[in-house]
Amino acid sequence: MKSAVENLSPTRVKLTVEVPSEELQPHVDAALKTIGSQIQVPGFRAGHVPARIIEQRVGKGAVIQEAVNEALPEFFGKAVEETGVSPIGQPEVDVTDVPMTDGEALKFTVEVDVRPEITLPDYDGLEVQVDNLEVTDADVDDKLTELRERFGTLVGVERAVETGDFVSIDLKAELDGEPVDSVEGVSYEVGSGNMLEGIDEALVGMTQGETKEFSAPLAGGDQAGQSADCTVTVQSVKVRELPEVDDDFAQMASEFDTADELRADLTKQAEQAKKFEQGIQARDKVLAHLLDNTEIPLPEGIVEAEIHQHLEQEDRLEDDTHRAEVDESTRSTLKTQFLLDALADAEEVEVGQPELIEYLVMQSQQYGMDPNQFAQLLDQQGQVQGMVAEVARRKALAAALDKATIVDADGNAIDLDDIVPEGERASGDVEDLAGDDEAPETVESEASETADEQA
């Protein structure tokens, strides 16, 4: 088999492939066997019809077409291996010469998007500056308040609803006069923003037993995004009363005997949290430096496929304003993904089974699923390779961060071992930081999954 590659752009190539008849013949034989098992010819048992009879019955063209259709993925894979290209997305195949007579070659071309070739800037010893480590009384008070809230109690009040109150409400939504959904006696913290848009504004100022109407876009289902007529009724209003901070509270809420010991420990926790924030700042600045100093051409086919899929899922294909937003975010996340893939290659990153299992467990917790069921679901959907690629990207960013020189605003050097204690660092790296919830996301789509599978 012969194959040649033509660069159409930095992110798209055209492969020209020629397959000699002897390499296609096994596929022709397989096609004859398949077709022969599907037709009935008097005088011959199923599966034992001679080739010439099959060709007479269905036509040689049908046999060749069956053979070519089955053989194309294999020959495309060989051409990719021969030429060394890294295809992503769906290939566009054009069969230019079909071998209708013995000795003729199969010829076809393939146009496909490819991963861009990226030249990384020097990042060994890169200096990044982060904020000074400052732990204030307010920081410690915030942590103490969080702890007190865990042990707080809800007490009913007879007054108008205020932000921060806990209310029990009945809520129903209608669309064009037809009921969409309704709930009764649901508890909600006013101002938390995790319910319908506009409900916080509606609730503030209401009293027990009062009903109010408001409009809000539906958050899910087939009618997501459509404006619904909503009605909310307040059943009760409660406030959270927090326990006093004394020695009894310290003994109830912690391992410490006194309030002073508890506050000292919370101060250490606040300091460690501030150090971790420094690490997040450093990570983001290392990534920003790499992105700002690297030319990353994007395959437009992948970009458009991702945008279309995103807007189609939201039923907002005609929303030009939202399309512009999705376009910008898609390009940003794809650039980050391609950069981190190149970084993983440069750092010769390998993903071990324990690292993949750790990541799968972490992701399953976010989705509230059993890790084994989550892993089976990923396997069924063909997304395991995508998970491997994501772990590799996190390790690559961690490796780059590990090579950086981090200083605070006063010029003092910061040791990553102080940010993430060695006993808590994954695989000896700073993957805790690279894998933080605020880490840059990669595109989750059919297009990017295809890219991961081809990597």
Side-chain angles (χ1 to χ4, degrees), residues 279 282 398 401-404 406 414-422 425 430 433:
L401 181 58
D402 218 9
K403 291 182 177 180
I406 308 171
I414 295 176
D415 190 343
L416 285 176
D417 285 331
D418 291 333
I419 295 175
V420 184
E422 186 174 357
R425 295 171 71 186
V430 286
L433 298 176

Side-chain angles (χ1 to χ4, degrees), residues 141-154:
D141 289 340
D142 287 343
K143 285 199 166 292
L144 188 57
T145 298
E146 290 176 7
L147 185 60
R148 294 171 67 197
E149 287 177 345
R150 289 169 52 190
F151 292 87
T153 56
L154 295 180

Side-chain angles (χ1 to χ4, degrees), residues 420-437:
V420 184
E422 186 174 357
E424 300 175 11
R425 295 171 71 186
S427 304
D429 284 319
V430 286
E431 293 164 49
D432 329 46
L433 298 176
D436 183 79
D437 288 341

Side-chain angles (χ1 to χ4, degrees), residues 91 108 136 170 179 183 248 259 291 322 351 388:
F108 65 94
T136 66
D170 297 341
V183 292
D248 289 338
L291 286 170
H322 188 50
V351 177
V388 174

Side-chain angles (χ1 to χ4, degrees), residues 177-199:
E178 295 295 326
V180 176
D181 198 5
S182 65
V183 292
E184 294 182 356
V186 63
S187 181
Y188 176 65
E189 182 181 2
V190 182
S192 61
N194 56 10
M195 201 172 273
L196 282 176
E197 182 181 321
I199 194 170

Side-chain angles (χ1 to χ4, degrees), residues 7 10 62 78 124 131 148 182 265 274 307 310 335 376 433 435 439:
N7 293 319
K78 288 183 177 180
D124 195 355
D131 294 339
R148 294 171 67 197
S182 65
D265 183 69
K274 290 286 185 176
I307 293 172
H310 184 103
K335 282 186 177 181
Q376 290 175 3
L433 298 176

Side-chain angles (χ1 to χ4, degrees), residues 309-325:
Q309 183 184 43
H310 184 103
L311 295 176
E312 188 175 45
Q313 288 176 344
E314 295 183 341
D315 194 22
R316 299 176 69 177
L317 286 171
E318 305 303 321
D319 189 337
D320 292 337
T321 300
H322 188 50
R323 176 179 290 273
E325 296 171 352

